[in-house]
């Protein structure tokens, strides 16, 4: 990947944001959906997931940082009325997650729409993403991904016989603090009750009492 000036990256991000806002405003204005799930920048520049319902609210829409929205979309649709339709700001990873949820009958295809945005080369490199863009790409340009197996850390965990891999995984799992971030982002982690809450691999942590 060649050097790209910082100013150019900023311009690209700003252009993508404006394009995304225009598409989202049109979809909400035309009542194609009841809400749009994306990221909002609130007070003190705090960014958090938000359901936009008014096109004027989209002035506070942002695209960064990356945030997994597919499982959150599933929970919103489960709690909403039967005729509720939701638009999701969707990267390649979110689209793939939504496909998995659709295959497992966790969401209904008719109830969800997407605004597909592309990730940058840098984001693809950090996430070791082979396909850093959705099939339905509305904003940005598809960049070439990276082969996860080119990364030594991935090869260590996935290559070798079962015994060797189990030793390596056990070493990694010792660092687990049961934050459930992996469960909350993984589209096939939908079991009730959740097996990750068992103490087979790691013991549950304890929160100290207030002073």
């Amino acid at each position: 990947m060649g050097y790209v000036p910082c100013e150019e990256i900023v311009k690209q991000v700003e252009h993508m944001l404006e394009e995304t806002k225009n598409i989202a405003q049109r979809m909400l204005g035309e009542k194609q959906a009841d809400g749009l799930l994306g990221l909002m920048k609130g007070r003190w520049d705090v960014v958090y997931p938000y359901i936009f319902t008014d096109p004027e609210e989209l002035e506070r829409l942002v695209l960064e940082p990356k945030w997994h929205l597919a499982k959150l979309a599933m929970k919103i649709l489960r709690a909403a009325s039967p005729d509720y339709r939701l638009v999701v700001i969707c990267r390649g990873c979110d689209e793939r997650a939504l496909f998995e949820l659709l295959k497992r009958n966790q969401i209904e295809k008719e109830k969800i729409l997407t605004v597909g945005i592309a990730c940058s080369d840098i984001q693809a490199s950090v996430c070791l993403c082979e396909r850093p863009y959705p099939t339905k790409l509305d904003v940005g340009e598809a960049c070439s991904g990276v082969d996860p197996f080119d990364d030594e850390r991935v090869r260590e965990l996935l290559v070798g016989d079962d015994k060797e891999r189990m030793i390596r995984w056990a070493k990694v799992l010792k660092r687990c603090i049961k934050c459930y971030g992996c469960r909350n982002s993984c589209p096939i982690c939908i079991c009730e009750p959740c097996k990750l809450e068992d103490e087979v691999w790691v013991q549950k942590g304890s929160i100290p009492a207030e002073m």
Side-chain angles (χ1 to χ4, degrees):
M1 182 179 67
Y3 170 74
V4 180
C6 183
E7 300 82 8
E8 186 63 29
I9 294 175
V10 171
K11 287 180 182 178
Q12 290 173 3
V13 172
E14 289 177 348
H15 180 66
M16 284 182 61
L17 179 58
E18 285 307 308
E19 277 193 86
T20 305
K21 285 180 179 178
N22 290 337
I23 295 171
Q25 285 171 344
R26 186 182 72 249
M27 294 180 80
L28 288 181
E30 295 175 354
K31 305 296 183 183
Q32 295 182 36
D34 300 284
L36 179 140
L37 176 60
L39 298 178
M40 172 185 271
K41 180 179 281 190
R43 296 177 64 186
W44 303 295
D45 290 336
V46 175
V47 175
Y48 51 88
Y50 183 81
I51 304 173
F52 297 86
T53 55
D54 187 338
E56 293 185 4
E57 291 180 312
L58 291 164
E59 284 303 313
R60 296 167 67 188
L61 174 73
V62 294
L63 302 180
E64 305 292 342
K66 288 184 66 176
W67 200 304
H68 292 292
L69 296 174
K71 291 279 284 285
L72 184 54
M74 176 190 74
K75 292 179 180 179
I76 292 167
L77 288 172
R78 282 180 176 177
S81 60
D83 58 347
Y84 188 88
R85 299 186 78 204
L86 182 69
V87 184
V88 181
I89 303 295
C90 189
R91 297 178 185 271
C93 49
D94 280 316
E95 184 188 62
R96 292 188 288 275
L98 289 172
F99 284 159
E100 294 301 321
L101 292 170
L102 283 165
K103 286 194 296 186
R104 288 162 174 78
N105 298 315
Q106 300 302 307
I107 54 177
E108 296 178 39
K109 186 177 181 180
E110 298 75 23
K111 293 184 177 182
I112 200 152
L113 299 89
T114 62
V115 178
I117 63 173
C119 287
S120 66
D121 292 292
I122 295 173
Q123 289 171 326
S125 178
V126 170
C127 293
L128 302 177
C129 184
E130 203 167 18
R131 196 168 178 277
Y133 52 88
T135 306
K136 178 183 173 291
L137 181 57
D138 299 294
V139 179
E141 296 182 6
C143 68
S144 56
V146 299
D147 186 348
F149 282 91
D150 286 342
D151 188 276
E152 185 178 342
R153 296 164 299 175
V154 173
R155 290 198 303 272
E156 280 187 0
L157 293 173
L158 300 181
V159 176
D161 62 43
D162 290 346
K163 185 176 180 180
E164 289 177 347
R165 284 188 290 116
M166 183 61 73
I167 292 171
R168 296 180 197 131
W169 275 104
K171 185 177 179 181
V172 171
L173 288 168
K174 283 182 180 179
R175 302 202 302 267
C176 174
I177 58 171
K178 290 269 185 176
C179 72
Y180 300 112
C182 56
R183 174 185 68 180
N184 296 340
S185 63
C186 178
I188 61 173
C189 195
I190 51 176
C191 296
E192 294 288 348
C194 177
K195 292 295 182 183
L196 287 178
E197 294 183 20
D198 292 344
E199 298 196 22
V200 175
W201 294 104
V202 290
Q203 292 183 349
K204 291 182 181 179
S206 58
I207 301 175
E210 294 184 8
M211 294 182 64

